[in-house]
């Protein structure tokens, strides 16, 4: 079989996977959220492997220069990291846990994508394929990302239906079925919403307007988008294998810094007319303030638990975080002070920067879930004095003195507190950390919802001095994407 025939078969397999995802969404009555969640990580893993095997893909995001690649390569790396985090949580026993049946339709999609990758990899390396491949690799990537987008939306619909079933069970029997949880279902919905938004942002920019139209080229990817994507991927990888309080502290501090600097850039966009000032002032700005405060509270807790001898941060995480914060500071700061909106507008396209920041907001909620899972179940050591301080602030311990009689209840020995010993984090402190992560998750979800208008921002206002600014005017309507039938009451 010739390479051209192989490429045709690969395109057919990807097209069949896309159609299979649409058929899943068109039959909501057949959706089972637990089974779909157990299978989804495998689908994303196969899609990411096929993406890297397609011609013209230079490799993972961290191996490229800041100005190379495109939004799709960065997006698929972030999606793969998010799915890997979900899978590790299922193995640790998070709802619905890894034990149980998978979804046969999603398994079929994963098998088709795996067959397509095998057919590509058994030939010459992608970089040495003939140039007559034309636009096929780009169109294959668009269909591949659209498959993930539609599949993520199908799971989101299934989760909504599952939540309605739980409410009906509580109304009828006044109790939840064994192993079910409203909280875990809500977290799964928020994580899937971030995944869907990240995939959908790339689909909206690149998917053909009509079935026979040529693919629109992806927008150029600058330093800011690459730095934020690299930081997000590395944070997922580092926290997946590390229970160091120093890494958790640095990840939380970095997310707070990214949110604070992003707030300045979005404020400049609203001040110069690149963003809707009313939406920013009334919805987005308060939500960003709340998210920054939640990340700051979580960082303070991790800082208290970090012993002075355990402050070494994972070097890849340190480097990726510094590059991301540096890229944002380069835009938002002028020396040691915050730059004016007019100066910020001359440094970057504020509309493009707003959409890049929106993707960062979408992935911050998933990172908060990963930190929550680590705080709830992973073995962890902390500074005894910090543990004692956290326990002393709990409402049930207010006004009680630290003595030998309290040691069994608090899980920390007073001598360990006095000597700054490193001890296992007791369950009451884990509860506090989980509550802090829940606050971050709620705040991140609110920020994601408030930032939805950033996908429909008006054209940027002309530079100050060229013409008087008369106010914000709506931009051109978004093009209609021909996604085919997507089920009742659904615009996917």
């Amino acid at each position: 079989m010739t390479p051209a025939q192989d490429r045709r078969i690969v395109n057919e397999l990807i097209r069949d996977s896309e159609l299979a995802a649409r058929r899943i969404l068109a039959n909501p009555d057949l959706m089972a959220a637990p089974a779909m969640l157990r299978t989804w990580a495998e689908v994303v893993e196969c899609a990411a492997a096929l993406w890297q095997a397609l011609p013209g893909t230079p490799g993972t995001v961290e191996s490229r220069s800041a100005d190379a690649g495109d939004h799709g390569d960065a997006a698929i790396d972030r999606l793969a990291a998010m799915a890997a985090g979900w899978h590790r949580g299922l193995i640790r026993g998070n709802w619905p846990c890894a034990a149980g049946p998978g979804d046969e339709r999603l398994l079929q999609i994963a098998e088709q994508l795996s067959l397509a990758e095998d057919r590509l990899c058994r030939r010459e390396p992608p970089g040495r394929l003939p140039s007559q491949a034309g636009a096929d690799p780009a169109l294959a990537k668009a269909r591949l990302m659209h498959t993930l987008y539609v599949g993520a939306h199908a799971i989101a619909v299934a989760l909504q239906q599952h939540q309605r079933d739980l409410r009906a069970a509580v109304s009828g029997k006044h109790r939840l079925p064994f192993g079910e949880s409203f909280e875990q279902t809500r977290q799964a919905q928020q994580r899937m919403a971030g995944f869907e938004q990240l995939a959908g942002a790339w689909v909206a920019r690149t998917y053909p307007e009509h079935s026979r139209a040529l693919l629109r080229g992806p927008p150029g990817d600058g330093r800011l988008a690459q730095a934020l994507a690299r930081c997000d991927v590395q944070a997922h990888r580092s926290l997946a294998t590390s229970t160091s309080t120093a890494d958790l502290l640095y990840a939380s501090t970095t997310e707070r810094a990214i949110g604070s600097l992003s707030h300045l850039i979005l404020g400049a966009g609203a001040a110069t007319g690149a963003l809707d000032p009313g939406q920013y002032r009334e919805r987005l700005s308060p939500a960003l303030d709340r998210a920054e405060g939640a990340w700051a509270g979580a960082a303070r807790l991790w800082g208290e638990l970090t012993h002075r001898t355990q402050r070494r941060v994972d070097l890849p995480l340190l480097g990726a975080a510094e590059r991301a914060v540096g890229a944002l500071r380069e835009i938002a700061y002028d020396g040691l002070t915050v730059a004016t909106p007019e100066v910020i507008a001359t440094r970057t396209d504020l509309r493009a920067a707003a959409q890049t920041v929106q993707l960062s907001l979408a992935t911050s909620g998933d990172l908060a879930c990963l930190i929550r899972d680590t705080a709830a179940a992973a073995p962890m050591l902390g500074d005894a004095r910090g543990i004692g301080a956290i326990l002393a602030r709990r409402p049930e311990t207010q006004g009680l003195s630290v003595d030998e009689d309290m040691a069994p209840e608090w899980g920390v020995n007073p001598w360990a507190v006095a000597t700054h010993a490193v001890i296992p984090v007791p369950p009451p402190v884990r509860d506090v950390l989980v509550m802090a992560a829940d606050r971050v998750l709620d705040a991140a979800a609110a920020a994601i919802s408030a930032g939805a208008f950033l996908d429909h921002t008006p054209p940027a206002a002309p530079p100050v001095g060229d013409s008087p600014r008369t106010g914000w005017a709506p931009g051109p309507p978004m093009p209609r994407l021909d996604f085919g039938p997507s089920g009742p009451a659904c615009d996917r």
Side-chain angles (χ1 to χ4, degrees):
M1 190 171 290
T2 64
Q5 291 173 321
D6 273 343
R7 289 194 297 274
R8 187 184 71 252
I9 293 176
V10 167
N11 287 329
E12 289 176 355
L13 288 170
I14 296 176
R15 183 194 60 195
D16 291 345
S17 300
E18 182 184 16
L19 293 176
R22 293 181 180 182
R23 286 193 294 269
I24 293 174
L25 188 58
N27 294 278
D29 293 337
L30 301 178
M31 294 180 187
M36 297 177 77
L37 285 174
R38 292 187 187 103
T39 316
W40 183 241
E42 184 175 350
V43 175
V44 179
E45 181 182 2
C46 293
L50 175 57
W51 185 290
Q52 298 298 336
L54 287 169
T57 304
T60 56
V61 63
E62 61 268 12
S63 65
R64 298 192 297 272
S65 64
D67 297 325
D70 60 57
H71 280 284
D73 298 324
I76 197 68
D77 289 335
R78 298 170 93 167
L79 295 177
M82 293 167 71
W86 300 340
H87 182 63
R88 283 186 291 268
L90 294 179
I91 293 175
R92 286 198 294 261
N94 292 351
W95 182 85
C97 79
D103 187 89
E104 293 296 333
R105 297 165 298 176
L106 289 179
L107 286 173
Q108 183 181 5
I109 292 176
E111 183 179 359
Q112 289 174 333
L113 297 179
S114 181
L115 287 174
E117 183 208 357
D118 291 342
R119 189 164 289 276
L120 278 178
C121 293
R122 76 179 186 177
R123 290 285 177 179
E124 296 293 327
R128 295 165 58 185
L129 283 175
S131 59
Q132 58 263 34
D136 283 352
L139 185 58
K141 288 183 177 181
R143 284 176 168 166
L144 190 58
M145 187 66 78
H146 186 233
T147 301
L148 296 180
Y149 173 57
V150 175
H153 183 63
I155 296 178
V157 173
L159 286 168
Q160 291 177 353
Q161 181 175 322
H162 185 78
Q163 192 173 46
R164 287 195 296 268
D165 293 341
L166 291 182
R167 291 198 183 100
V170 171
S171 299
K173 299 182 179 180
H174 303 288
R175 61 182 178 85
L176 284 173
F178 177 76
E180 295 291 347
S181 167
F182 276 119
E183 180 65 23
Q184 294 285 355
T185 304
R186 181 182 67 87
Q187 290 181 17
Q189 286 179 309
Q190 292 175 343
R191 299 182 80 168
M192 192 55 63
F195 188 102
E196 181 184 351
Q197 190 172 25
L198 185 58
W202 193 84
V203 168
R205 294 171 180 171
T206 59
Y207 201 78
E209 295 185 26
H210 304 287
S211 58
R212 296 185 179 180
L214 292 177
L215 184 73
R216 300 198 302 270
D221 198 6
R223 180 189 175 197
L224 178 59
Q226 278 289 338
L228 289 175
R230 184 185 293 115
C231 179
D232 181 65
V233 171
Q234 187 57 53
H236 276 81
R237 290 180 177 175
S238 296
L239 298 185
T241 57
S242 171
T243 58
S244 166
T245 56
D247 290 343
L248 293 163
L249 166 62
Y250 198 75
S252 301
T253 304
T254 300
E255 286 298 319
R256 185 207 175 196
I258 290 175
S260 177
L261 293 169
S262 299
H263 201 168
L264 296 176
I265 295 173
L266 294 174
T272 57
L275 305 180
D276 181 354
Q279 290 274 9
Y280 169 81
R281 180 177 59 255
E282 296 172 9
R283 294 191 60 200
L284 184 56
S285 182
L288 290 176
D289 285 335
R290 181 186 171 194
E292 291 173 37
W295 278 115
R300 282 194 296 270
L301 290 174
W302 292 117
E304 287 183 294
L305 292 179
T306 303
H307 194 265
R308 61 178 180 271
T309 62
Q310 296 180 325
R311 293 177 181 171
R312 182 179 179 84
V313 179
D314 183 48
L315 289 180
L317 174 61
L318 181 65
E322 286 182 348
R323 282 188 290 270
V325 174
L328 288 165
R329 288 185 63 89
E330 189 178 77
I331 297 172
Y333 271 73
D334 188 4
L336 298 178
T337 60
V338 177
T340 62
E342 291 76 13
V343 172
I344 294 177
T346 62
R347 294 176 175 176
T348 186
D349 180 354
L350 288 174
R351 289 192 68 204
Q355 293 174 348
T356 299
V357 168
Q358 182 194 21
L359 300 184
S360 181
L361 291 175
T363 56
S364 65
D366 186 78
L367 187 63
C369 282
L370 183 59
I371 293 177
R372 184 191 187 279
D373 292 344
T374 302
M380 191 181 305
L381 300 176
D383 187 349
R385 177 163 292 188
I387 291 174
I390 293 173
L391 289 171
R393 292 197 298 269
R394 288 173 61 90
E396 62 270 23
T397 60
Q398 292 294 327
L400 299 179
S401 59
V402 180
D403 55 29
E404 292 290 349
D405 295 334
M406 292 299 300
E409 179 182 350
W410 286 18
V412 55
N413 189 289
W415 290 105
V417 173
T419 58
H420 281 277
V422 178
I423 63 173
V425 176
V429 175
R430 288 184 181 273
D431 294 341
V432 175
L433 297 173
V434 169
M435 287 189 291
D438 285 338
R439 285 194 293 269
V440 172
L441 184 58
D442 291 339
I448 292 172
S449 176
F453 78 97
L454 295 176
D455 267 342
H456 310 279
T457 51
V464 177
D466 289 0
S467 61
R469 180 155 50 92
T470 59
W472 176 79
M478 292 286 289
R480 182 181 181 276
L481 305 181
D482 184 16
F483 289 166
S486 301
C490 175
D491 62 351
R492 264 65 176 184

